[in-house]
Amino acid sequence: MSVAHVDDEEPGPGEVRHVEKALPNGDFYTGEWCDSLPHGNGKYLWTDGCMYVGEWFKGKTMGKGKFSWPSGATYEGDFKSGFMDGKGTYTGFSGDTYKGNWVMNFKHGQGTKSYANGDYYEGEWRRGFQDGHGRYQWKNGNHYIGQWRNGLMNGNGTMIWSNGNEYDGLWEDGFPKGNGNFKWADGSSYVGVWSKDDKEQSGTYYPSDSQNGNLDWDPQQVFLEDLKDCKICPGEKVSIFPSQKMPNWPGMAKGNDGRQRRMSDGKLSSYSWGSYMNDFSAASEGDSRDEDEGGGSLHLEDSDTRGSCTEFKMPMKKQGQTISKGHKNYELMLNLQLGIRHSVGRPAPAISLDLKSSAFDPKEKVWTKFPPEGSKHTPPHQSCEFRWKDYCPVVFRTLRKLFNVDAADYMISICGNDALRELSSPGKSGSFFYLTNDDRYMIKTMKKAEVKVLIRMLPAYYNHVRSFENTLVTKFYGLHCVKLTGAAQKKVRFVIMGNLFCTDYAIHRRFDLKGSSHGRTTAKPESEIDLTTTLKDLDLNYIFRLQKLWFQEFCRQVDRDCDFLEQERIMDYSLLIGFHFQEVSTSCTSGVPTPTGAPQLSQLGKDQLLIDPSRWSSIRLGINMPARAEKTVRKSDCEAQLVGEPTGVLYDVILFFGIIDILQDYDISKKLEHAYKSMQYDPTSISAVDPKQYSKRFRDFIFRIFVEDT
């Protein structure tokens, strides 16, 4: 057999021929070849025993193919840019078999899985886990039909045991939680509220027509005994993904989209941050690299030559003015900290996520008096006497639990030795904003009307954020009021929220976007714009390209959040976006960083990140999201063109975004504003429009500036 080496003389451009090539690292390729790359049908053998047989397109597995692991595991089906993507069947070395839809190495969509232990699942998958509606059959005959989330029974569902007993009701994290009905095969039943905490369990037993009852039955038996044999099989782990095995062919210097991208030093990038994250996100599905099967033969540039990824983290002066003694709001800050410490630190009963309607009652508020000398319930302090009000304290305590906020950390952030920082100027609404020293929380002063809106929508808000953990709407942690005694009798109401830009990354650009054009530009000369400047719709000169999975989730969540806000008659909200360029230079004139190109990731850096998934555990929708920003240019200064034309110039970025200012309802003042401005301007260009119209316009705009990265 004659063997041609990759550095042998190549034919003319576009000519396809059959070759057999031995690569310098010992790998072997045989098949169709074009322009120095596999193109057509071909077979690739790795030295560690992995093999791919199937279709190639410009050096990547694309189309129908079969990938085999040395362990005996195989995947046969569709490939796209090196990923298992489309319809395909994975058969594991232990006998696990999944047949269904895949997206970028994830089981995603409809699919069935037969487990080696005899269990079987048929239904919806998302990012590698059962998610949506599905049926799980255990080998012992028990089966569950209903809703799933992140691989666990969650939502409405029915468990039927092989002995004929069944539970029909709500589930949370794999266990009955909330309203449910347990039925025995003899017809008797137990109806009530279910919880693993027996203090929260309550219900009524209904005997059957027969005399054989279960009057001594304890509902906790379901958790302790009945569900013991209903564990979800974790399944077999994939040792290494086909996309992680794809070689970097000599002369192949294009990104995933086929566009060449130039580094700041003039060299072409052959590996994008986005493509790395595709590999990593798949690996984080719960699969780990098996040392026995090798680490793959990726050949990216060495870290000591061209491929080191320079992560730009600019030392930044913290935003805002520290509130120290002598500041006009120093006493207010002390009052706020005393009140928070009292509210969060006082003893409270165990928290259940199932709240009674009385917890949301507008009258549900607690007043506490803080005399300077202290009292039975409050400590002595150096401020003036004040009264402190907690609005719906049980609800906000439960929200903090729902958002995984530790009470001690929360108090340290707000009430620790470090002072709060006041942002330099109040917002358009006249509210003042304060940041905690660790940047975790933002405190905003509120008008009475805003407090009323938040309390009115609190039940719907609670249900929404509980149902959708990836919601983009503002996270509220507490609603309070300080009333100063004495001549002033001043009341200051404020809400505590999550700070969207709590990150070690420098936020190089930030935009407040509504989807309207009237007045939506920053009235600052270029020389005054810095890293803390919030730009607006008509200043936006980028569109954002999200990987497929993230884009799908983003679209779903924006629709859910906008539906919620529309139902609550809310308008005038914004999408706040901040992003960090992966590689920048600092302008000598303005000091504002500007992007210089797309970074490469060395093999060493990639391996370190792959084996340390904790470094990526903070990536969520809208938080620390890897993406690509594409520069746009408007054809003219015409306000009608909100979104510019893409230029093809792409930058790797880290994105942060969320929906803010969600406490403006469409009241009489907004209706009058709409009527007045409609006579002067195009009614579609102003922000004061009814909630239904606002929601549609907002979505249309957002779905134009966020697109799928193809």
Side-chain angles (χ1 to χ4, degrees):
M1 182 180 68
S2 63
V3 177
H5 289 271
V6 291
D7 54 355
D8 288 350
E9 183 181 346
E10 296 290 347
E15 183 181 336
V16 179
R17 62 174 181 146
H18 184 86
V19 301
E20 292 178 344
K21 289 188 177 288
L23 279 74
N25 65 350
D27 293 352
F28 183 80
Y29 173 80
T30 176
E32 292 177 295
W33 189 264
C34 178
D35 295 338
S36 303
L37 296 169
H39 188 75
N41 286 298
K43 177 194 289 187
Y44 192 105
L45 294 166
W46 284 267
T47 54
D48 64 3
C50 290
M51 180 176 70
Y52 172 79
V53 181
E55 296 175 305
W56 295 76
F57 181 80
K58 295 181 179 179
K60 290 188 177 180
T61 54
M62 185 86 76
K64 300 289 184 185
K66 181 176 181 178
F67 190 94
S68 306
W69 286 263
S71 63
T74 61
Y75 169 82
E76 187 167 5
D78 295 330
F79 285 83
K80 183 178 178 183
S81 298
F83 295 94
M84 300 183 286
D85 196 302
K87 290 188 180 297
T89 300
Y90 175 84
T91 303
F93 65 86
S94 66
D96 276 9
T97 301
Y98 171 82
K99 185 176 183 179
N101 290 314
W102 298 76
V103 174
M104 289 169 57
N105 294 341
F106 284 110
K107 304 174 189 74
H108 193 91
Q110 286 291 329
T112 61
K113 183 162 184 176
S114 300
Y115 295 87
N117 70 349
D119 291 357
Y120 178 82
Y121 174 81
E122 179 180 14
E124 293 177 292
W125 296 76
R126 197 156 157 246
R127 295 185 193 162
F129 295 101
Q130 298 96 331
D131 202 302
H133 190 272
R135 177 179 179 272
Y136 194 102
Q137 174 91 35
W138 283 267
K139 62 180 177 181
N140 59 15
N142 300 343
H143 65 274
Y144 170 85
I145 304 171
Q147 294 297 311
W148 295 75
R149 184 193 288 177
N150 294 331
L152 295 172
M153 297 168 282
N154 208 102
N156 278 302
T158 302
M159 173 73 77
I160 302 175
W161 282 266
S162 56
N163 62 8
N165 295 348
E166 71 175 71
Y167 169 83
D168 182 26
L170 294 172
W171 296 74
E172 188 175 282
D173 296 334
F175 295 97
K177 177 74 172 178
N179 293 318
N181 180 9
F182 188 94
K183 298 178 186 175
W184 283 267
D186 66 4
S188 55
S189 63
Y190 177 91
V191 180
V193 176
W194 292 75
S195 174
K196 287 175 73 177
D197 183 351
D198 58 358
K199 294 177 183 176
E200 297 176 3
Q201 179 89 35
S202 64
T204 304
Y205 173 75
Y206 296 95
S208 65
D209 294 335
S210 68
Q211 298 302 310
N212 298 323
N214 295 285
L215 295 175
D216 297 330
W217 180 76
D218 182 359
Q220 289 298 304
Q221 183 181 325
V222 172
F223 300 98
L224 299 173
E225 298 293 335
D226 297 3
L227 290 173
K228 277 172 67 175
D229 296 327
C230 297
K231 299 276 195 294
I232 308 303
C233 182
E236 182 184 306
K237 293 181 178 180
V238 178
S239 58
I240 190 166
F241 290 96
S243 54
Q244 292 172 262
K245 300 288 290 179
M246 288 303 102
N248 189 25
W249 298 95
M252 183 175 159
K254 294 191 178 184
N256 280 351
D257 57 356
R259 301 176 188 176
Q260 290 184 324
R261 293 182 289 148
R262 195 163 294 278
M263 295 288 291
S264 55
D265 59 3
K267 295 167 185 163
L268 288 171
S269 168
S270 62
Y271 195 85
S272 74
W273 182 262
S275 63
Y276 156 67
M277 279 307 299
N278 292 346
D279 282 356
F280 174 75
S281 64
S284 67
E285 184 184 333
D287 301 307
S288 61
R289 187 175 290 192
D290 187 333
E291 293 179 3
D292 294 336
E293 298 199 14
S297 53
L298 287 161
H299 297 287
L300 305 181
E301 290 140 333
D302 294 328
S303 58
D304 58 352
T305 55
R306 294 183 291 164
S308 63
C309 175
T310 55
E311 187 179 273
F312 183 87
K313 292 192 180 182
M314 174 183 283
M316 293 178 62
K317 182 182 176 182
K318 291 205 170 186
Q319 192 178 358
Q321 177 189 2
T322 300
I323 304 176
S324 53
K325 199 161 188 176
H327 189 285
K328 63 178 182 178
N329 287 326
Y330 179 69
E331 284 205 346
L332 178 63
M333 182 191 76
L334 291 181
N335 297 345
L336 186 155
Q337 291 177 323
L338 284 164
I340 293 290
R341 194 178 290 121
H342 172 75
S343 298
V344 179
R346 68 177 171 225
I351 297 174
S352 167
L353 296 182
D354 298 312
L355 295 178
K356 296 178 180 177
S357 58
S358 58
F360 298 94
D361 192 321
K363 296 176 183 176
E364 190 69 18
K365 45 198 171 188
V366 179
W367 277 106
T368 306
K369 192 174 181 180
F370 280 78
E373 66 276 11
S375 68
K376 184 179 178 181
H377 303 290
T378 63
H381 58 87
Q382 298 177 348
S383 181
C384 60
E385 182 173 319
F386 68 95
R387 294 183 72 200
W388 170 263
K389 184 196 287 188
D390 268 331
Y391 295 90
C392 300
V394 174
V395 177
F396 285 102
R397 192 185 312 127
T398 311
L399 281 170
R400 292 194 293 272
K401 178 185 177 183
L402 196 62
F403 296 142
N404 296 314
V405 173
D406 179 79
D409 290 343
Y410 184 70
M411 281 197 288
I412 290 170
S413 291
I414 301 172
C415 314
N417 295 329
D418 297 313
L420 303 177
R421 304 195 311 278
E422 182 178 75
L423 299 192
S424 56
S425 60
K428 181 181 174 184
S429 64
S431 297
F432 282 85
F433 293 86
Y434 304 93
L435 277 171
T436 57
N437 189 63
D438 59 7
D439 288 332
R440 285 188 182 185
Y441 304 104
M442 182 173 282
I443 300 164
K444 175 191 174 186
T445 62
M446 300 178 75
K447 296 177 181 176
K448 188 175 182 179
E450 291 178 306
V451 172
K452 286 184 175 179
V453 171
L454 179 52
I455 291 175
R456 172 183 64 76
M457 66 185 282
L458 200 53
Y461 172 84
Y462 178 81
N463 290 331
H464 183 75
V465 298
R466 185 181 179 186
S467 300
F468 305 111
E469 61 182 351
N470 283 334
T471 181
L472 299 174
V473 299
T474 304
K475 288 182 168 61
F476 295 122
Y477 299 112
L479 182 62
H480 312 282
C481 176
V482 169
K483 182 179 180 182
L484 303 178
T485 57
Q489 291 286 307
K490 181 183 177 184
K491 276 187 179 181
V492 182
R493 303 169 182 88
F494 54 90
V495 67
I496 302 174
M497 310 177 290
N499 176 22
L500 199 58
F501 299 147
C502 177
T503 173
D504 289 333
Y505 289 110
I507 301 295
H508 296 139
R509 298 283 190 280
R510 56 188 79 201
F511 292 90
D512 180 292
L513 306 172
K514 294 181 183 290
S516 58
S517 58
H518 176 66
R520 298 298 296 163
T521 187
T522 302
K524 269 188 178 183
E526 187 73 25
S527 59
E528 292 182 21
I529 293 176
D530 59 21
L531 294 186
T532 65
T533 303
T534 301
L535 305 170
K536 298 182 181 178
D537 300 64
L538 294 178
D539 305 312
L540 182 66
N541 54 348
Y542 295 94
I543 59 172
F544 304 99
R545 297 187 171 277
L546 303 182
Q547 296 163 23
K548 184 173 183 177
L549 288 176
W550 285 122
F551 179 71
Q552 291 173 343
E553 178 60 28
F554 173 78
C555 293
R556 278 193 295 264
Q557 196 56 55
V558 168
D559 279 334
R560 292 165 181 156
D561 290 340
C562 286
D563 286 344
F564 157 68
L565 294 170
E566 184 182 324
Q567 288 164 10
E568 293 303 305
R569 302 288 293 164
I570 302 296
M571 41 78 68
D572 214 20
Y573 43 88
S574 309
L575 186 74
L576 182 63
I577 301 177
F579 56 95
H580 165 87
F581 290 112
Q582 290 285 353
E583 189 172 291
V584 297
S585 66
T586 304
S587 164
C588 296
T589 53
S590 66
V592 178
T594 55
T596 59
Q600 289 175 291
L601 193 66
S602 68
Q603 177 61 44
L604 176 63
K606 182 179 178 186
D607 284 343
Q608 287 172 341
L609 290 170
L610 275 169
I611 62 177
D612 186 11
S614 63
R615 291 181 62 180
W616 293 98
S617 61
S618 60
I619 297 175
R620 293 179 50 203
L621 186 68
I623 304 292
N624 280 335
M625 278 187 61
R628 295 198 294 168
E630 182 169 3
K631 199 77 181 268
T632 60
V633 175
R634 288 183 175 81
K635 291 180 179 177
S636 66
D637 292 332
C638 175
E639 285 193 356
Q641 191 183 14
L642 267 177
V643 183
E645 300 296 323
T647 62
V649 179
L650 293 146
Y651 306 105
D652 286 320
V653 296
I654 303 294
L655 273 182
F656 300 82
F657 54 80
I659 297 175
I660 63 167
D661 296 338
I662 63 169
L663 298 179
Q664 178 59 63
D665 65 350
Y666 196 54
D667 58 11
I668 187 65
S669 65
K670 284 294 177 182
K671 291 176 182 177
L672 291 172
E673 181 185 342
H674 172 74
Y676 175 72
K677 287 186 175 178
S678 295
M679 293 186 287
Q680 297 179 299
Y681 310 103
D682 177 1
T684 62
S685 72
I686 60 178
S687 62
V689 295
D690 78 82
K692 190 177 184 67
Q693 185 182 343
Y694 191 94
S695 172
K696 182 181 185 307
R697 185 181 66 189
F698 180 81
R699 285 187 239 204
D700 290 346
F701 174 63
I702 297 304
F703 292 150
R704 288 175 65 197
I705 62 170
F706 280 83
V707 297
E708 183 182 337
D709 200 356
T710 55

